[in-house]
Amino acid sequence: MSLQVGNVRIDADELAARLGRAFAGELMDVAVQEPDTVVARLAREKVKDVARRLHDLDETPIDSLTLISSVDYVTHLECVYHLYSYAANLYVELHVELPRGRPVVATVSDVWPSADWHEREAWDMMGIVFEGHPDPRRILLKDDWIGHPLRKDYVDDVRNHPYV
Amino acid sequence: MALTDEVKRYLPDGIAARLKYPKLADFERPNVITTTADLVFNWARSHSVFPFQYGLACCAIEMLSSGFARYDIARYGMEVFRPTPRQCDLMIVAGTVNEKMAPVLLRLYEQMAEPKWVISMGACATSGGPFYDGYNVVNGVDKVVPVDVYIPGCPPRPEALFDGMLQLQRKIQQLTFARPEKVEPLYGADAPWHADVIGPQAQFGGRVSKKRLTP
């Protein structure tokens, strides 16, 4: 494994095919969304296992996590992991669907350390619980904030605003 | 030095003009200058304001730019930005105050040396500005600390900041020792944030104001 960016010369179609083979039955709807981005869906029970194996892939390790975004689709929540492989110079997007009632998913901060703050932000703003997170505090709002403001059904609590 | 009408009344005719614009000849022989304590102290205070180097958002960029050579805040004797509240008497709230920052801002204000002033710089600090409806935005820093001068703008240009500071100078020059301004305590002991933020009420001698309590 070399640190040189893009030294494994494959395109997104090839990476999608490889991921589809290596993670058959785990990554669903593997597709190429943009010339450099592979998109896939993933069941939330398999996040931990798949993350570790993606990170430890032989030729094209998906070794960087750029961002974790969270989306409220009203019917359900979704967690999107934006990953990047330095070796292949390609991006991978993992969409993980979460039920609104109990949005719990395993942490990947032990696989990609950069996930730490992103998961705290997703908890803070969207209320997604990351099981096994080393430091599950709020990151942007104050610690005693009530509610998760980026949820579509968020109702502001007057106790959040002592200065009126 | 500004001579108030009150002072001029006790001065002989023609002296006021010469005091304001003294000629060199006036200092060639030993002199006595009669003035008031208010005038001297206010003159000194208003021309050596120490602002607190404390920026919250983009207004801080304008504040810093007014400190550098192009706009040069030193022309007004206010150029010494201090990085600690204990050496300051002017807090320029430059930017959006959010709910998480508000208790910190209040604590910093408490740590500043008396007498102290607050300038609310820009739309955000004055009223919440474009973020008025934001879930995490305090709609005006005057909900947290008392504000002396409001500067509109988004962000205000350095010239506007200077204008606000000159207004503040004028305000400082109106202070007097003889009839001290009646200072209302900021908050009561039963204010909801009080226990968390500042601790015991000791420094205000147990005075409780019902006016500023949250509903």
Side-chain angles (χ1 to χ4, degrees):
Chain A
M1 192 175 85
S2 162
L3 282 178
Q4 197 181 346
V5 173
N7 63 342
V8 179
R9 299 223 165 263
I10 59 170
D11 59 5
D13 294 303
E14 171 63 17
L15 182 66
R18 287 189 191 184
L19 292 181
R21 280 197 301 276
F23 297 89
E26 290 162 324
L27 293 185
M28 296 170 288
D29 304 342
V30 183
V32 177
Q33 190 181 46
E34 284 167 48
D36 58 352
T37 307
V38 178
V39 186
R41 283 196 301 115
L42 178 61
R44 66 162 165 162
E45 298 79 18
K46 295 174 179 163
V47 165
K48 191 74 157 194
D49 181 41
V50 170
R52 174 55 70 189
R53 282 163 56 209
L54 277 172
H55 182 269
D56 295 342
L57 275 181
D58 277 339
E59 200 185 358
T60 57
I62 315 294
D63 44 8
S64 164
L65 182 136
T66 319
L67 174 70
I68 297 176
S69 43
S70 52
V71 195
D72 188 350
Y73 283 109
V74 181
T75 53
H76 61 275
L77 301 179
E78 195 172 273
C79 209
V80 187
Y81 298 81
H82 301 256
L83 310 171
Y84 176 68
S85 169
Y86 277 95
N89 191 18
L90 291 172
Y91 299 87
V92 178
E93 261 183 50
L94 293 184
H95 294 246
V96 180
E97 208 171 288
L98 305 169
R100 260 192 107 81
R102 192 168 171 275
V104 184
V105 65
T107 178
V108 293
S109 58
D110 49 348
V111 180
W112 297 287
S114 63
D116 187 331
W117 281 18
H118 292 299
E119 290 180 348
R120 281 177 64 186
E121 188 184 352
W123 154 247
D124 194 358
M125 292 289 140
M126 203 61 88
I128 294 173
V129 179
F130 292 89
E131 263 183 345
H133 191 281
D135 186 20
R137 289 179 296 141
R138 287 184 181 274
I139 190 169
L140 296 173
L141 299 174
K142 53 186 180 181
D143 292 339
D144 56 350
W145 192 271
I146 298 164
H148 301 281
L150 289 198
R151 287 236 187 153
K152 295 294 181 195
D153 58 354
Y154 174 70
V155 179
D156 207 356
D157 193 305
V158 72
R159 284 169 289 175
N160 290 332
H161 305 285
Y163 303 98
V164 286
Chain B
M1 188 188 304
L3 285 173
T4 60
D5 291 340
E6 199 177 353
V7 174
K8 280 178 192 166
R9 218 186 311 149
Y10 298 103
L11 296 175
D13 291 345
I15 292 289
R18 282 183 76 186
L19 276 179
K20 195 166 184 187
Y21 305 106
K23 295 188 170 65
L24 190 59
D26 292 340
F27 297 101
E28 280 176 355
R29 51 197 165 78
N31 260 308
V32 174
I33 296 179
T34 310
T35 180
T36 63
D38 278 353
L39 211 66
V40 173
F41 274 82
N42 291 343
W43 171 73
R45 270 180 186 158
S46 64
H47 289 86
S48 82
V49 175
F50 280 49
F52 186 17
Q53 187 177 335
Y54 173 65
L56 293 173
C58 33
C59 281
I61 305 297
E62 298 294 310
M63 184 177 75
L64 295 179
S65 129
S66 46
F68 295 132
R70 184 179 172 112
Y71 294 102
D72 195 9
I73 206 171
R75 292 178 290 162
Y76 306 106
M78 298 183 171
E79 77 276 20
V80 190
F81 281 89
R82 306 306 304 185
T84 165
R86 301 193 189 276
Q87 299 174 353
C88 300
D89 49 11
L90 169 62
M91 176 187 262
I92 304 175
V93 185
T96 323
V97 184
N98 57 40
E99 293 285 354
K100 196 173 182 180
M101 193 65 200
V104 183
L105 188 145
L106 180 57
R107 170 167 286 196
L108 290 171
Y109 176 79
E110 289 297 327
Q111 290 175 344
M112 281 163 60
E114 291 271 9
K116 52 195 170 187
W117 297 276
V118 177
I119 286 182
S120 161
M121 182 181 179
C124 290
T126 302
S127 68
F131 312 110
Y132 180 80
D133 288 326
Y135 54 84
N136 195 29
V137 173
V138 177
N139 293 336
V141 71
D142 50 5
K143 310 242 185 330
V144 188
V145 295
V147 175
D148 293 286
V149 177
Y150 297 86
I151 304 174
C154 188
R157 288 186 56 84
E159 292 91 332
L161 179 60
F162 293 155
D163 186 53
M165 289 181 137
L166 294 177
Q167 298 280 355
L168 182 73
Q169 278 190 343
R170 240 170 273 166
K171 186 164 183 172
I172 295 172
Q173 282 163 2
Q174 287 165 6
L175 290 179
T176 171
F177 291 102
R179 289 177 272 104
E181 205 177 320
K182 192 159 188 286
V183 180
E184 192 186 336
L186 264 182
Y187 23 66
D190 48 346
W193 63 85
H194 191 272
D196 304 328
V197 178
I198 356 195
Q201 179 77 358
Q203 55 185 319
F204 293 102
R207 283 179 294 168
V208 174
S209 162
K210 296 290 179 195
K211 201 174 168 187
R212 274 180 173 267
L213 293 187
T214 58

